[in-house]
Amino acid sequence: MLRAQLDAGAGSPLSLIVAPAGAGKSVLLAQWVASHPGLPVAWVDIAPGDADPLALSRKVLAALAEASAEFRPPLAAVSTAARRLGDQYLEDLAAGLKEIDPVVLIFDDLDRIGGTPVLTDLWRLVDMLPNGVHVIFASRTDLQLGWSRHRVHHDLVEIRQRELAFDDATTSRVISAITGTAVSEEVAAKITARTEGWAVGVQLTALSMRFAADPDLVVETMSETDRLITDYLGEEVLDGLSPRRRTAIVQLSVLDDFDANLAGVVTGLDGEKLLAGLERDSLFVVPVPERVGWHRFHRLFRDLLLLRLRAHDRDAEPELLGVASRRLSESGDEESAIEYAIRAHDWDRVLDLVLDLGRCYYESHRMGTVVRWLREVPDRNLAERPDAAILLAMAEGMSGRAMHAVDRFRTLLADGELTPGQRQVALAYLAACVQFHPETELFVPVAQAAVSEITRHPDAPRPNLLGLTSRTVLLTVSQVSLGRARLLLGDVHGARRIFEAALRAVGTAYRPYRVHTLGSLAMAEALSGCLVAASGHAEDALSLATEDDLLVHPAPAEAYLARALVAVQRGEPATGALALHEGAARALSNQRTQLLWIAWLIAHAAYPEGGLPGVEEPEGPRPAFVRDALLAFEMRQARSRGAPLPPPSHPASWSYIAFEEVAALLALGRVSHARARMTELAPRPEPDAPLPEVEHEILEGWLCAAEKRNPESRAHLTTALRLAEPEWLVQPFVRAGAAVADLVDELPGVGNGFRSAVVSAARAAAAPPRQHLVEHLTTRELELLAYLPSRLTIPGIAARCYVSTNTIKTHLGHIYRKLGAQNRDAAVERARELGLIPAGDSGPVM
């Protein structure tokens, strides 16, 4: 009956099982799964630690990989700082599930993460599922997630306590199976009534009857109060066991789960025989679905065992946890070893284990887990181990908890108790917090002090923390942090030189940091107008990230944003939409607020009418560079509306605001004032930085035309085109507006492709075309649409964009739906009809 209900619900996105502990939820699910041997099933047993999105992600991906060899994990990053899986991760996961449908994804014991952000994410995942994928939520409590919509639209199957309750016949079969003796209908009915058909109550009663001298007495003396009968029955079951076996079971209760090896070490018995006996005698031991050979006690039974252990010997639990921690550490399971050491309050062992961790925790984006472990350690114990306090501050910074990191580093440095080597580490990683902290100017002297101390004391002994504290690595961190501070303060050219020097240093041989440095350099180059170099360095960074499986890591965020910035500078913002979204997602994954501001700035430069959906305005103050660029953007918008604005103050040197100030004066017809400001603001020549000179030449051309000096105007505009063409630097002409586009169009001689691109982009920005669709394509979808006429396969497009094939497939599905197309060829034809892509023949899709 119940299995038939689950069968009926399998065609909808979700089924729901809600019932108290011991009601038989897991048993029902196991029986249903066994009745469909050919169906891929990913079973996820939820634990309290799965409120950590990284822990939950690893568990879900492991279960899916075990269910199907065809499953490909998402490339999107988990948003750890927000304690969420994140929208892009969910989209990518849903697309990956489409590749292995049909599949069933079971989340058992979801009440353990009730009220957490990741539970909300799992609920949102249900709405993204492709046809053929079915999710089952099992929980002790109603999760209050709003089931009504699924009840109305999907005939939601709900199985609750009343459906799970045993009837007399089921009770009779269970008792007979456990006791080995048939029971009368009268006894079965009495047990059903007293237990209200509660599965574990029936099972415990049967066990009590099995081990009791007088089974009938067990039934007669069952409690009729509201108190859970398991207190009584649990004692009856345990008292029926031999002392040695009873002690072993109670000892095992300290473990979340166990295999034969660990069970043997903790109890001192033969682990294989012990587990076999527990399974044979139905003593509430169940297999852990995602770990072959591992078992756990039923939650309720384990609670009873723990209560008994603590009542009889309060010192036994930490001792047993310590034994388990040492064994797990020896076998290489460092995470479980640390968790058990924490529960044992063995703080020295916790710190020893955490300080021995390697780079993999940084590279796999698990620094939030390190923070959680170290925050469990009392402050007095941390104070005795400065290396651990430094590591906690490092981990807080790397996982997006910048304010905590900065405060902790400052306290450590102010105390004056650090050795020179410890001080170098603290200064370098305090400087790295510039990516997260709004007060950029504070980090320039910190980074300079770090470089100075590392240089002055090259041989100072340094603690080895995560393998990230060698002299060369610390020097790279300090230099790149100084460059980032310079860039955020508006010194783009100075930042670029620092990044170049850092890239030449041996410290960037550590590839994740090399990815960071290449991406930062690419951003500075793109802002300087060196688009060829920026494209090359962004490509190098993303290629390295691909080789080292770092595309889901925050490290490539700058490289993605540099790609988007290059697209904007070349007047082709739609070709950078995916890169912009990917960069913003990675910056958000560890709350790099300063980088999120740059993403937001790029979005508004690319799409003046409203930015890019999915790239949200960050909280907090804007960095100086972003503040000035956004002010210039607002001035340009006002000028395009015919109401130019003066700047709040007159800049003393060339900048975005200076460009807009002169353009506003020209738009107002104040030619003499514009000439005076141009004379004052001539940009200082920078080698390999064409943008300021191109901007200056554009305005000189406009100004000379306003002064009726047409030959000089043509000469300046021709120079601007000549300087900009090698980089295909279109955006300065777009920012100048329609007046300059007309002057460029009127230049004598035959125009070339670049000149045509400049005029087209500037005029398109003044009057953007509108799509004739009920639901418009997003900028990311428009970027992918441009690839469809090509010969590139979906994996080929994904490789070009440095995203997963699942991401591409998700967006293509949206494109086909919006265009009303069934396939790629139909989508291309419809897009050409709408003018969304140029007309022309396309090669066959490979």
Side-chain angles (χ1 to χ4, degrees):
M1 174 69 174
L2 294 178
R3 292 206 299 269
Q5 284 185 254
L6 289 174
D7 285 340
S12 62
L14 178 70
S15 292
L16 181 66
I17 303 178
V18 180
K25 301 182 294 296
S26 299
V27 172
L28 169 62
L29 286 171
Q31 291 174 344
W32 182 74
V33 169
S35 70
H36 296 278
L39 180 65
V41 175
W43 188 312
V44 182
D45 257 332
I46 298 297
D50 294 329
D52 180 338
L54 276 174
L56 179 60
S57 170
R58 289 198 299 275
K59 189 174 283 188
V60 171
L61 298 185
L64 286 168
E66 185 175 341
S68 173
E70 301 300 317
F71 176 70
R72 295 291 176 268
L75 286 179
V78 171
S79 180
T80 55
R83 308 292 290 171
R84 290 189 51 208
L85 294 167
D87 292 346
Q88 191 173 8
Y89 178 93
L90 294 174
E91 289 178 8
D92 213 358
L93 177 58
L97 289 171
K98 187 175 183 180
E99 297 301 305
I100 60 171
D101 63 49
V103 65
V104 174
L105 187 53
I106 296 173
F107 293 97
D108 198 10
D109 288 336
L110 267 178
D111 53 282
R112 289 185 160 193
I113 55 171
T116 64
V118 290
L119 177 60
T120 304
D121 275 351
L122 292 180
W123 176 232
R124 294 181 63 253
L125 175 65
V126 172
D127 286 333
M128 301 179 184
L129 294 175
N131 292 333
V133 179
H134 182 61
V135 171
I136 300 176
F137 283 178
S139 171
R140 285 186 177 187
T141 60
D142 198 320
L143 300 170
Q144 301 298 317
L145 289 173
W147 314 113
S148 299
R149 179 165 45 81
H150 279 265
R151 291 184 180 119
V152 172
H153 296 293
H154 300 297
D155 294 326
L156 175 68
V157 167
E158 297 178 72
I159 297 175
R160 296 181 179 268
Q161 168 63 19
R162 59 182 176 273
E163 289 88 13
L164 285 166
F166 287 179
D167 57 18
D168 293 349
T170 304
T171 297
S172 178
R173 288 196 300 271
V174 170
I175 292 176
S176 295
I178 292 175
T179 63
T181 304
V183 295
S184 67
E185 291 181 3
E186 181 183 356
V187 169
K190 185 177 293 186
I191 293 172
T192 302
R194 297 288 175 85
T195 62
E196 297 183 355
W198 183 37
V200 78
V202 172
Q203 188 177 0
L204 282 166
T205 303
L207 285 168
S208 298
M209 293 169 67
R210 175 180 178 178
F211 295 119
D214 185 355
D216 291 337
L217 185 61
V218 172
V219 178
E220 294 300 325
T221 57
M222 287 173 60
S223 171
E224 294 182 89
T225 68
D226 291 334
R227 181 182 177 184
L228 293 178
I229 62 169
T230 52
D231 286 344
Y232 167 76
L233 293 176
E235 294 292 335
E236 290 295 311
V237 170
L238 291 175
D239 287 344
L241 302 176
S242 68
R244 189 177 185 188
R245 195 179 188 201
R246 181 170 60 245
T247 299
I249 291 175
V250 171
Q251 289 172 332
L252 278 182
S253 68
V254 304
L255 304 176
D256 297 324
D257 42 42
F258 43 83
D259 64 356
N261 191 303
L262 185 59
V265 170
V266 169
T267 64
L269 301 178
D270 184 319
E272 295 281 358
K273 290 183 178 179
L274 177 61
L275 285 186
L278 293 177
E279 289 186 288
R280 182 189 64 243
D281 294 337
S282 303
L283 285 172
F284 298 96
V285 64
V286 293
V288 178
E290 65 270 17
R291 302 182 73 184
V292 177
W294 286 74
H295 298 74
R296 65 172 175 82
F297 281 122
H298 184 286
R299 284 172 59 186
L300 196 60
F301 190 58
R302 184 188 175 199
D303 290 344
L304 293 172
L305 296 174
L306 280 172
L307 286 173
R308 183 160 185 155
L309 175 67
R310 291 162 183 167
H312 286 78
D313 185 354
R314 65 178 59 189
D315 296 326
E317 185 174 5
E319 292 175 4
L320 293 167
L321 289 168
V323 170
S325 176
R326 287 188 289 275
R327 178 67 190 93
L328 290 164
S329 178
E330 291 167 3
S331 64
D333 187 353
E334 56 198 12
E335 293 196 23
S336 297
I338 293 169
E339 297 285 359
Y340 283 132
I342 288 171
R343 283 169 48 191
H345 291 185
D346 188 347
W347 306 123
D348 285 337
R349 178 166 181 77
V350 171
L351 294 177
D352 288 341
L353 289 169
V354 174
L355 287 170
D356 200 38
L357 297 174
R359 288 176 173 176
C360 63
Y361 280 82
Y362 169 73
E363 293 168 6
S364 59
H365 196 24
R366 286 186 285 166
M367 297 307 292
T369 302
V370 177
V371 171
R372 178 171 62 83
W373 286 335
L374 288 175
R375 281 187 174 176
E376 293 281 355
V377 179
D379 289 342
R380 65 180 182 277
N381 297 85
L382 271 179
E384 295 169 358
R385 305 280 290 272
D387 289 355
I390 294 171
L391 177 56
L392 174 54
M394 287 172 58
E396 286 174 327
M398 292 173 176
S399 58
R401 299 163 175 85
M403 298 302 182
H404 295 289
V406 169
D407 289 346
R408 199 176 298 275
F409 275 131
R410 285 175 172 167
T411 300
L412 287 165
L413 290 163
D415 287 346
E417 299 294 327
L418 301 183
T419 66
Q422 289 172 331
R423 183 174 175 81
Q424 290 176 14
V425 176
L427 283 170
Y429 282 100
L430 172 58
C433 292
V434 68
Q435 305 172 82
F436 309 89
H437 200 283
E439 298 177 67
T440 308
E441 63 280 357
L442 299 179
F443 295 92
V444 173
V446 173
Q448 290 171 332
V451 172
S452 175
E453 294 211 15
I454 295 166
T455 304
R456 283 192 296 118
H457 304 288
D459 299 322
R462 302 171 191 85
N464 180 11
L465 304 178
L466 301 175
L468 299 177
T469 53
S470 67
R471 177 183 176 276
T472 52
V473 167
L474 292 179
L475 198 56
T476 296
V477 170
S478 305
Q479 289 174 323
V480 173
S481 298
L482 179 59
R484 285 170 168 154
R486 293 288 190 202
L487 187 147
L488 291 167
L489 291 170
D491 182 8
V492 175
H493 306 303
R496 181 179 170 188
R497 301 305 172 218
I498 294 171
F499 294 140
E500 289 171 339
L503 200 58
R504 291 191 294 268
V506 70
T508 51
Y510 178 49
R511 287 162 71 102
Y513 283 6
R514 187 171 182 83
V515 170
H516 270 297
T517 309
L518 283 165
S520 297
L521 175 59
M523 277 212 306
E525 289 168 332
L527 290 167
S528 302
C530 301
L531 307 187
V532 174
S535 295
H537 285 131
E539 186 81 12
D540 289 346
L542 292 169
S543 295
L544 277 177
T546 302
E547 291 172 14
D548 291 359
D549 199 23
L550 289 171
L551 284 181
V552 299
H553 194 273
E558 293 96 334
Y560 279 117
L561 293 182
R563 270 191 144 203
L565 190 53
V566 167
V568 171
Q569 295 282 50
R570 287 181 168 163
E572 303 167 344
T575 65
L578 265 177
L580 176 53
H581 189 271
E582 297 290 318
R586 278 147 188 77
L588 182 63
S589 71
N590 66 341
Q591 294 295 307
R592 278 190 283 173
T593 309
Q594 307 298 70
L595 205 55
L596 287 169
W597 273 116
I598 291 177
W600 199 72
L601 172 63
I602 297 170
H604 279 71
Y607 313 104
E609 299 306 315
L612 178 69
V615 180
E616 306 296 335
E617 181 176 2
E619 296 181 358
R622 300 168 176 179
F625 162 72
V626 174
R627 183 179 62 243
D628 291 349
L630 287 173
L631 175 57
F633 170 79
E634 292 167 8
M635 293 173 67
R636 176 192 162 199
Q637 290 292 91
R639 176 164 55 86
S640 69
R641 293 192 297 268
L645 294 173
S649 60
H650 297 291
S653 59
W654 194 257
S655 65
Y656 291 130
I657 295 176
F659 180 94
E660 286 300 331
E661 179 188 3
V662 175
L665 290 170
L666 287 169
L668 289 168
R670 300 173 62 184
V671 178
S672 60
H673 287 84
R675 172 56 66 193
R677 288 299 285 155
M678 283 291 284
T679 302
E680 295 169 354
L681 291 169
R684 185 180 66 187
E686 291 281 353
D688 302 323
L691 180 60
E693 193 172 354
V694 170
E695 291 174 329
H696 195 265
E697 290 294 329
I698 289 171
L699 290 183
E700 277 288 358
W702 188 2
L703 179 54
C704 288
E707 294 170 334
K708 309 301 182 185
R709 296 160 55 203
N710 293 333
E712 290 93 331
S713 171
R714 289 193 290 271
H716 283 296
L717 290 173
T718 300
T719 299
L721 289 167
R722 176 178 55 80
L723 291 170
E725 184 174 359
E727 307 288 349
W728 209 264
L729 186 55
V730 171
Q731 184 66 4
F733 298 91
V734 173
R735 285 192 278 115
V740 168
D742 292 341
L743 291 173
V744 171
D745 198 24
E746 293 166 2
L747 289 173
V750 178
N752 61 10
F754 179 67
R755 181 168 144 184
S756 298
V758 163
V759 174
S760 297
R763 288 176 175 166
R770 301 185 64 85
Q771 300 178 49
H772 300 287
L773 290 172
V774 174
E775 187 177 358
H776 289 188
L777 297 179
T778 68
T779 47
R780 283 181 283 163
E781 291 160 4
L782 285 170
E783 178 183 357
L784 285 180
L785 185 63
Y787 282 103
L788 294 192
S790 74
R791 298 171 182 268
L792 287 172
T793 61
I794 288 177
I797 297 172
R800 290 282 186 94
C801 299
Y802 290 99
V803 297
S804 72
T805 55
N806 291 339
T807 297
I808 299 298
K809 289 175 182 178
T810 297
H811 290 306
L812 289 181
H814 296 163
I815 291 170
Y816 296 165
R817 177 177 57 78
K818 292 178 181 180
L819 293 178
Q822 295 298 314
N823 53 45
R824 186 167 178 167
D825 289 340
V828 170
E829 183 178 351
R830 177 63 175 148
R832 285 181 174 146
E833 291 173 2
L834 294 169
L836 299 176
I837 55 177
D841 295 332
S842 64
V845 176
M846 298 175 65

